[in-house]
Amino acid sequence: NKDGHGPAWANSLFEDNAEYGYGMALGARQLKARIARLMEENMEKVAPATKDAFAAWLESKDDGLKTREVSNNVITALENESNPVKDEILNLQQYLVKKSVWIFGGDGWAYDIGYGGLDHVLASGEDVNVLVMDTEVYSNTGGQSSKATPTAAVAKFAASGKKIRKKDLGMMMMSYGYVYVAQVSMGANKNHYHKVIQEAEAYPG
């Protein structure tokens, strides 16, 4: 929008989708940590209003909704500030609001060619979100069966039906014990889908 707020999109190679999003999340986290360090180091060197704005941001910097409000307060306070830290933080102001990082991909990527990277990223505990669009077939290359294709399904190069059962990616990720996992059907229950998206975003991992 006019304030520069909204979604930003980037594409990666088919097989490194998870690592690509992971790198973006790490970069945003490091820049946010730099802002936090600048605030902590200058807490006693700024005006009282700026100090209060810094304290409020540091308290809620990992809350997506709250950082929108407190970030505006930080920017307003800094505009009246004379401390050199003003320019450093304002140059990084796009990282004041917590970023919501989403990695999108199909089952050909998530279950097969990109599974190794996806597994590493989800096991890392980094605060990223993944949405796998499980079409149960390689949709991008003409319909070959993937590990997400269910038993007996007919597909290109599986004309007599797939002989083995579908890989259970959700169950595998749940086995870690610290990964939020949900299975949804966008068309069947939109309310459930929206609730799951909100819960995934709120989950710190």
Side-chain angles (χ1 to χ4, degrees):
N1 61 20
K2 63 181 177 62
D3 298 316
H5 301 154
W9 181 271
N11 292 68
S12 71
L13 297 171
F14 180 36
E15 63 271 22
D16 71 353
N17 192 7
E19 298 93 323
Y20 192 69
Y22 179 66
M24 290 188 174
L26 289 180
R29 177 160 63 83
Q30 290 301 319
L31 289 168
K32 190 172 74 170
R34 182 179 170 191
I35 293 172
R37 187 177 70 252
L38 287 168
M39 288 184 178
E40 289 165 353
E41 290 174 352
N42 291 273
M43 192 69 79
E44 303 303 324
K45 303 174 185 177
V46 294
T50 307
K51 180 179 179 180
D52 292 342
F54 282 2
W57 185 86
L58 289 167
E59 184 179 348
S60 57
K61 61 184 171 63
D62 294 319
D63 186 313
L65 291 176
K66 287 183 180 177
T67 52
R68 172 70 67 197
E69 178 185 348
V70 296
S71 296
N72 289 336
N73 294 339
V74 167
I75 293 169
T76 300
L78 284 173
E79 287 173 351
N80 301 312
E81 188 60 55
S82 58
N83 189 297
V85 75
K86 167 186 176 177
D87 292 332
E88 290 190 69
I89 294 178
L90 287 179
N91 285 337
L92 296 169
Q93 64 179 282
Q94 64 173 306
Y95 297 98
L96 285 168
V97 177
K98 179 183 179 291
K99 302 294 185 192
S100 174
V101 179
W102 283 85
I103 299 167
F104 293 91
D107 57 70
W109 155 70
Y111 285 71
D112 289 355
I113 193 169
Y115 172 71
L118 176 67
D119 180 54
H120 277 291
V121 170
L122 288 173
S124 73
E126 185 65 33
D127 191 9
V128 296
N129 306 289
V130 179
L131 179 62
V132 177
M133 287 159 279
D134 187 359
T135 63
E136 299 190 327
V137 74
Y138 272 94
S139 299
N140 65 320
T141 55
Q144 295 96 321
S145 65
S146 76
K147 289 193 184 76
T149 306
T151 306
V154 174
K156 190 175 183 180
F157 303 122
S160 61
K162 187 162 175 273
K163 304 295 190 289
I164 54 175
R165 63 166 288 185
K166 175 176 178 172
K167 181 177 181 178
D168 196 335
L169 183 65
M171 182 180 70
M172 295 168 74
M173 294 303 106
M174 285 172 63
S175 69
Y176 284 117
Y178 52 82
V179 178
Y180 173 90
V181 179
Q183 185 173 352
V184 300
S185 175
M186 296 182 191
N189 192 333
K190 291 181 181 178
N191 287 333
H192 177 235
Y193 169 64
H194 289 144
K195 181 180 179 183
V196 161
I197 292 295
Q198 290 173 331
E199 288 178 350
E201 166 54 31
Y203 183 78

